[in-house]
Structure formats: structure tokens, C-alpha cells
Amino acid sequence: MDKRKDHELLREAGKMVDRCDRCGTCLPVCPLFGVKGVEATSARGKNTIARALAGGGIEPTREVLDVVNFCLLCRACVDTCPAKVPTDEAMVDVRQHLTDLAGGADVKYRLIGGVLKRPGVVKAAAAALSILRRSGLNGLFPYGMAPEEYTRAHFLTAFAGPAALGQKAPPSAVTVTGRTKVAYFRGCGMEMMFPEAAAQTRDILKTTTSLLVKQNVCCGLPHLAHGLREEFLSLARQNIRLFEEAEVVVSDCASCGATLKHLSSFFADDPAWRDRAAAFSGKVMDLTEYLEKVGYLPRQKADVVFTYHDPCHLVRGQGITRPPRELLKAAGSFVEMKEADVCCGGAGSFHVDYPDAAAQILEKKRRNIEKTGAAVVVTGCPGCLIQLAKAAKASDGKFKAMHISQVI
Amino acid sequence: MITEEIKQKIRDIVGTDHVLDSELNRFGYSYDSSFIPLLPANKPDLVVRPLTTEEVSRVMVVACEHEISVTPRGAASGRTGGSIPLKGGISLCLDRMTRIVELDERNMMVTAESGLRTIDLYNHCAASGLFYPPDPASWKFSTIGGNVAENAGGMRAVKYGVTKNYVMGLEVVLADGAVLRTGGKAIKNVTGYDLTSLFTGSEGTLGVVTQALFRLIPMPKRRGTLEVMFRTLDDGCRTIHTMLQSGVVPAAAEIMDRTCLEVVARHRKTDLDPEVGACTIIEIDGDDDAALETQAGRIEEAAKTCGAVAFRTARSQQEADDIWAVRRGISSAVAALAPNRIGEDISVPRDAFPEVVRRIREISEKQGLPIAVYGHAGDGNIHPSILCDLGKPGEEERVHHAVDDIFAAALSVGGTLSGEHGIGITKRPYIVNALGDVGVRTLKAVKAALDPKGILNPGKIW
């Protein structure tokens, strides 16, 4: 059990942000400060508020919760910080602390958390969505089951039809030993919003291994991010148990992957789970990371120009930038966009909670995508894909947004 | 206190969205990057974010009429408390004023508003082959107005000088709201007092700088970065002196001690050679690769005669950027080593650098406090960082003694309290030691003449 008390969380967050020198290095890279310009919206501002909260100089009010909620958890600040202050972790801890003080998470987050927590719910995606709709929460998933989803079939028709057949990629050189037990982690976002892409992921994985598909539960990130820490830990334990027989756990969702890879740190002081969690985290791989390891080659080379958006939880969460780009180069031609690793503004439910700020951030992203002239922007995160699908719509057909599984 | 009526007047001037008065927003403008304690917070009563000089002027008229303190602020990246609203009142945040007014390529000059980030000014000029050299370590986020108000230095001072060497003219809103324009594009200009120089480095106490005109120089065509490791800081300093005396003037010559290198190694998860006690990072520039090679060759020679243990030339821009990123991030990385870091900014004649560093070592041992040292060895500007825990009993007193001794050491070799950070709040108690009574009296006379009500950035410098 997680025995940490509320004030311990605040103290821990306080220790993290204590290292902040208030130098301002994070100001130009914080996407929210970029659109709002007010100190409290920046990483430095939020860290300093957290520090004052821990030091007793600021009262724990609803206003403070609003400030710490207004964070994409994108880690752009952490990446650039000379003292490596983990702003995202501190914000999550302060959210939890304030939520506990207020007597539990906001009803909205509790509902979403409840939906995502139920075992088997990812299988019953439609049912889950109907619950969401009934609860008036469908705004979280703005375009229903497949928000502006562009399927692999669409992709092949448009870009890899007969004219492109001559450029078929060489046969895949993958050799998988029968001993490697590879499992697929079904992410809620992928299953509920991009089932076609998730199916593609499984198809790709099956060309490399005899795939284990488990009825896993949510990775717990939405719970952790919004003050439902106990639920997060309980989900984590279920998943750890479930995947004990697997040697590799592949995720096609950047956020699930990053969360699962970091699980071990949440159990570091729990003797019963420490080793199991560390073993589990050690075998999680992003889809592209796995495909690179097994030498996967795309199923076709299409006459299409791709650009790539780095999900925060892949680039900063897992340090993965090269494998997806290499796969795209093998599947078509590739052009890099400006600020590819800047957050798209999606950030879980951030885009629903703060639609204006999210839209302003996305607008910059759309312009950067359009400047590349690419026909398809590819990414590896359903959260980003929702945002990018909106950008694609706003671009008036200049580009499509797709998950990497759909194009390789 | 600022009454609702006055607040409304100010909202009418700059727009409701740009006047902040909530508790948390006021807190956000209560600190800068100095070691002034965060709590109790020095909150302004009101945060005002104007967009134009005219708005600044009208806000100052209101402030002057009601005798409200006004503390100008850019990115609050200063190290001495310059932008902290010590007496409350208005935090006048200029970060929305980011226009580049004009790039005059024929005269090689640029006019920019105060809130523009230094790096954006640099990049804008660089795109036309023009060079704005001052590069404080904070250049990616500091504002140009703050650079002018603090007369910021940087890495390239050894060859190219500091901010004031490039300021040709200023637009300044005075305490009563009048708009003053100083200097101009004429290179020779002795008409009247040199007000441009007076306001440069005035730390927001004499007026609000809203625009600045800078001269530019042609962009060096080639740049190179060298990293040299030494057993001791002395060897590093000697190399830099030997190099300068032999006629090689590097664009930058930085030095850092073992403590700093250990922080870097920890962040990069690399091992530090136990033999290495200091590192110098040198930037050279010139017209072509041959010019760089000649300089690099002579520096390597000097380094060898001074006992260098490793010599590396950056082979790509990426490698050079990485090396400089280490140096630029040192200050904040060192700060994270201890619960509190008291960073100083003394500046001494170049040849006194090793002597002062030796004295700092002695002070460190005497007070039992670790002191990390890095700085601009090329120009004699040293940043000793006292690592401490002010929560420990007796620690604060030891820190005070250490700071006193560091300043005394600097002054005794003909140096001064601040090379580039300004006096602000943190060095105020020492200014009379540096300038003498007559010096401080003269500063006060200037202040009284320009700001008789004392509303501009009160509580700073002395």
C-alpha cells in the first residue's frame, strides 16, 4: 500500500521545486507561457507557487489548484532546466495534495477515472463511450469513436495504390525467436478512439512474433494526473501482475508507454512491489523502439511525404526520436517540421479543460505542419492524434493526421 | 495600497487583461533569480503589462500623481533583486513590448523595444549578417531592456565589451511620465551630458527604458570552440593570460572549477577524470578557417606550456552548442547543489584573477563553506557561488562573513562588487566600500534630480 500522507506529497514536491533557481531558462520553451505570457502560467511561476505553498507562504486555495492544473506535463521545461527540476512530477504531486485536501478529485476526473479503471473496459469501448456521453463528458473525446480518423485503408488508397506498387519496400528482415514472449498493451485512448490504428499495431506485431494480447487495465496516467493516486497504484499493480509472463510489453501509445516505464519509481519504497515493478518497467517498449530492435521494415513504400510530431511522452518521456523517423523514411519520404517536439496542446484532458490555450498552441503546430508541405503528419500518441486531427481539419485538407501503425 | 479608482484608470490605459491583481498573480511578480528569500513575498500591489511607450508614459503619470512605487521588470532573470518590487506598488512588466522597430543595415544599427529577448535581437541581426555581441548567460530568456538597465555583460566581453559598448541611444520614460530620447545614430556625439550612459546600468531607478538603439558590427564569418582541461585553476588562468599577451584575443574565455565540472558530469552521467581540476572554454572567431586554425594552434601551444591535460576542438556546431550549453547552465546547476546558493559577481583586473580565486579558496576553508567558482577569466569577472543551508544554525553568519571577505578580497586587488549583475538589493550594504561616501552621495544627487518623489524602483543600489 502507498502509505504516503498528503503532506508528504507536498513536502516531496517542495523538495523537487526547491532546486529551482528561478533563472527563467524554462520561460521560452513553456508552450503555455508562450500563449499566455503571465508568470503563473510558466513552469517557473508554477514551481515557485508550489514552493511557497510547501513553505507556508501561500494558502491552498482553489486558485492554486487551477494554476497547477494549467500545465501540459509536457516536460519541455524539465528538458531545458539546468537544475533538472521535474516540474511535471511536482505538479502531479501538488494536484494530488490539493485534491486530497479538498476531499477528492473533481467529479469530472473521478468519472473519467472510474470509466478507465474498470477491467475490460477497453474492450467495451463503445459502452465506455456511451457512459461518457451520458455523463456529458464526451467533450473529452470530441469526435466520438474515431475523431476525424483517417484509416489505413484510406491511406493505402490515396498514397499506395497501383502507382506506388513499384516502390514496395524490401521484404522485412525480422527474425523473432520463438522464445521471446511479446505482449501488446492495449491503451484506452487507442482502443476507444483509434481502434483501427490499434488493430494495425497488432497486425504489425504479429508479423514479428506470436503476440500475447492481454485484457489489461488502464495505465493509470489520467488518474495520477488528476489526484487519483490510489487508483493509479491499484491499476499499476494489476498490470504488473498481468504481464508477469511477458518478456516484452509493447505500447503504441506514448503516454501509456512512458507511464509504464516509470512505474518502478512509484513503488521504490514498497518492498512488496519494488522488484516486480522494476522488472515490469524494464520490459516496456514503445512500438517504434521495438520495431527498430527487431529490424522491422514497413509493409510498403508509398509515394507520400510524411512529417512527424514528437509526443511529449515519447521524446521527453522516453527519449525516443529516431526510430519513428527512420520508419517513416522507409515508408515514404520524410520532412522534418519546425518545433516538432513542442507539445500540441492535447495533454490528456488539458484541451478540454482549457480549450482556448490548447487551440492557440495547436494553431502554431498547424502552421509548422503546413510549412513542411507534408501530406501526412504522423505521431504515436492518441492524445496528440486528437489534436492533430483537429489541426488537419482546420488546414482544410492540406494534410492528414495518422498514427504511425497506419502508415508503416 | 492602490485604490480601485486608480486601478481602473490604469486598466483604461493598458486594457483590463493586462492589469493583474489576484493574489497568485501578484506573487508571480514578487521574485527574480536572486537569492533574496521567496518568503515573505515582496508582492507588488498591481502588475501592469503595457504594450507601448505611450502606455508606459500614461501609467507613470498616474503613478507620479499618486506617489505609487514603480518597479520595471523584463523577464525577472536578474541576479541581484533589481526587478523585485521591494516597496510594493506597481510591477511594470515590459515583456509585451517586443517589437524590433528598425534594422538600419546601412548604419549598422538596430532599434528594439525593451521586452524583446536578447537572443531574438541577436538572431534578427544575424539574419542580415550583423552581429550584436553582448551575450549574458541568460540571453535566451533575458530581455534587452533588462540588459540595458543592468548593463549586462556576458561571455564575449573579453573581445567585444558589454552592453553599454553597443548602446547608442535610448527612449526613456521619466518618473513624471515625460518621454526622453537620448543619443542617436551619429557615431560622434558630445552634445550635452552623456545621458545614454547614465541610464545604461541605472537598474530602473532613474527611468523606464522603453526602447534602445544599438550599434552592430559585421558578423564574424567563422567561429570555433575549444575546451581545455587543467589540473588547477591557476594553470587555466595562466593559459588565458599567455594567450592574450601573445596577441590572440578570443571571443570568449570562460573558466570553471572542479565543483562545477562535477555538477556537469553528474547531469550528463559521465565520469570526471580525477586529474582534472579546472576547465576553460574558449570561443575564437575570424574571417576563415585558416584564421581559426592559427588561433587554435597558438592557444594549444599556450595551454601545453601551462600544463593542459586535455585539449578538444568542437568539430560541429552541435558540439560547440553542447559545450556552451554546459557553461550557460552552470549557474543554475550549481545552485541546485545545496539548499541555498549565494552567488556573487565580483570583477577584478584580469591579472588578479588567480590571486582572488586563491583567496576565495581560503575563505571557503575558513568558513567551512563550499564555494564553487566559475567566471569570465578573459575579463576578470568571477562568479563565486557559496553553497550553504541557511536553515542550519550559525550558517547565515558564516555566509555573511564569507561574502564580506569575498568583497574585501575583490576591492583589495583593485576590483569591484559587480561585473555584470548590478547592485540591486543583494550588494547594497557594500556599495559605500566600493564607491566611498562621495561616490554614493553623487549617485543620490542624480537620483533626487531625476526622481524627486523616489517612486522608481525604491530600495535599490544604496
Side-chain angles (χ1 to χ4, degrees), chain B residues 48-319:
Chain B
V48 182
R49 302 176 67 217
L51 186 65
T52 63
T53 302
E54 196 211 329
E55 288 179 6
V56 174
S57 163
R58 289 172 60 199
V59 169
M60 286 311 300
V61 169
V62 174
C64 187
E65 184 191 337
H66 300 282
E67 300 201 17
I68 298 166
S69 299
V70 176
T71 302
R73 178 192 189 271
S77 55
R79 292 277 186 197
T80 58
S83 64
I84 293 180
L86 211 48
K87 304 275 160 79
I90 292 171
S91 170
L92 190 64
C93 190
L94 302 165
D95 60 357
R96 290 176 65 229
M97 299 181 62
T98 57
R99 256 181 342 126
I100 292 172
V101 180
E102 180 202 40
L103 177 63
D104 178 351
E105 292 186 46
R106 281 158 64 113
N107 284 305
M108 294 168 67
M109 285 185 202
V110 65
T111 308
E113 289 183 339
S114 278
L116 184 70
R117 285 185 184 132
T118 314
I119 193 169
D120 293 336
L121 180 76
Y122 172 91
N123 283 336
H124 186 86
C125 300
S128 300
L130 293 167
F131 183 27
Y132 175 71
D135 65 334
S138 56
W139 75 321
K140 284 189 181 171
F141 42 94
S142 64
T143 63
I144 200 73
N147 288 182
V148 170
E150 299 290 328
N151 188 10
M155 320 281 177
R156 298 196 178 112
V158 56
K159 182 166 182 176
Y160 294 106
V162 298
T163 304
K164 75 171 176 194
N165 301 110
Y166 296 86
V167 182
M168 295 294 293
L170 295 173
E171 179 186 78
V172 185
V173 176
L174 299 177
D176 62 359
V179 180
L180 167 73
R181 288 189 178 79
T182 75
K185 289 183 184 173
I187 288 170
K188 292 181 171 178
N189 183 344
V190 292
T191 309
Y193 293 146
D194 184 358
L195 295 177
T196 305
S197 292
L198 177 65
F199 284 98
T200 304
S202 64
E203 304 194 25
T205 61
L206 302 180
V208 183
V209 174
T210 46
Q211 268 186 27
L213 168 71
F214 300 99
R215 74 183 180 89
L216 303 167
I217 59 177
M219 184 64 85
K221 292 189 178 60
R222 292 276 184 278
R223 269 192 196 134
T225 297
L226 313 172
E227 186 191 71
V228 198
M229 300 291 185
F230 298 93
R231 279 187 196 84
T232 66
L233 214 60
D234 268 20
D235 289 348
C237 289
R238 260 193 310 134
T239 301
I240 289 167
H241 295 159
T242 311
M243 170 176 98
L244 287 165
Q245 276 156 16
S246 75
V248 178
V249 181
E254 297 294 305
I255 197 158
M256 49 187 100
D257 73 357
R258 171 109 196 156
T259 311
C260 299
L261 293 173
E262 279 167 1
V263 184
V264 174
R266 192 183 314 164
H267 275 316
R268 314 207 137 189
K269 300 187 170 66
T270 54
D271 289 323
L272 184 60
D273 184 342
E275 205 185 31
V276 169
C279 166
T280 63
I281 298 174
I282 296 166
E283 181 177 276
I284 47 178
D285 58 16
D287 277 344
D288 48 38
D289 292 338
L292 292 198
E293 270 166 40
T294 312
Q295 289 181 62
R298 284 165 73 181
I299 293 169
E300 187 168 7
E301 212 172 284
K304 272 186 186 152
T305 61
C306 297
V309 292
F311 188 93
R312 173 162 84 116
T313 308
R315 280 176 307 271
S316 64
Q317 189 54 46
Q318 184 60 43
E319 207 179 328

Side-chain angles (χ1 to χ4, degrees), chain A residues 19 21-25 27-28 33 36-40 44-45 48-49 51-52 55 57-58 63-64 67 82-84, chain B residues 22 24-25 27-29 31-34 36 38-39 49 73 75-77 79 117 140-141 267 329 332-333 335-336 341:
Chain A
R19 288 177 1 224
D21 188 34
R22 304 193 289 275
C23 63
T25 306
L27 298 177
F33 184 68
K36 294 288 173 194
V38 172
E39 179 74 14
R44 177 176 73 177
T48 312
I49 284 170
R51 194 168 174 173
I58 280 183
E63 215 191 345
V64 177
V67 164
K84 294 281 169 270
Chain B
S22 77
L24 286 181
N25 273 329
F27 176 76
Y29 294 77
Y31 51 80
D32 69 352
S33 185
S34 66
I36 304 288
L38 202 56
L39 302 172
R49 302 176 67 217
R73 178 192 189 271
S77 55
R79 292 277 186 197
R117 285 185 184 132
K140 284 189 181 171
F141 42 94
H267 275 316
S332 301
R341 184 276 298 265

Side-chain angles (χ1 to χ4, degrees), chain A residues 75-91:
Chain A
R75 289 179 72 88
C77 53
V78 186
D79 224 29
T80 190
C81 176
K84 294 281 169 270
V85 175
T87 304
D88 58 330
E89 292 171 36
M91 289 307 114

Side-chain angles (χ1 to χ4, degrees), chain A residues 180-186 201 205 208 243 246-262 279-295 313-314 318 320 323 380:
Chain A
T180 317
K181 289 187 204 145
V182 181
Y184 170 60
F185 187 89
R186 305 163 68 112
T201 303
L205 289 174
T208 71
F243 285 101
E247 289 167 291
V248 173
V249 179
V250 178
S251 167
D252 56 356
C253 165
S255 298
C256 295
T259 307
L260 300 176
K261 283 182 179 183
H262 288 101
F280 174 77
S281 284
K283 58 195 180 191
V284 177
M285 281 187 206
D286 178 63
L287 173 68
T288 60
E289 185 184 6
Y290 169 78
L291 293 179
E292 186 187 51
K293 273 214 167 70
V294 298
H313 288 146
L314 258 191
Q318 305 177 52
I320 292 174

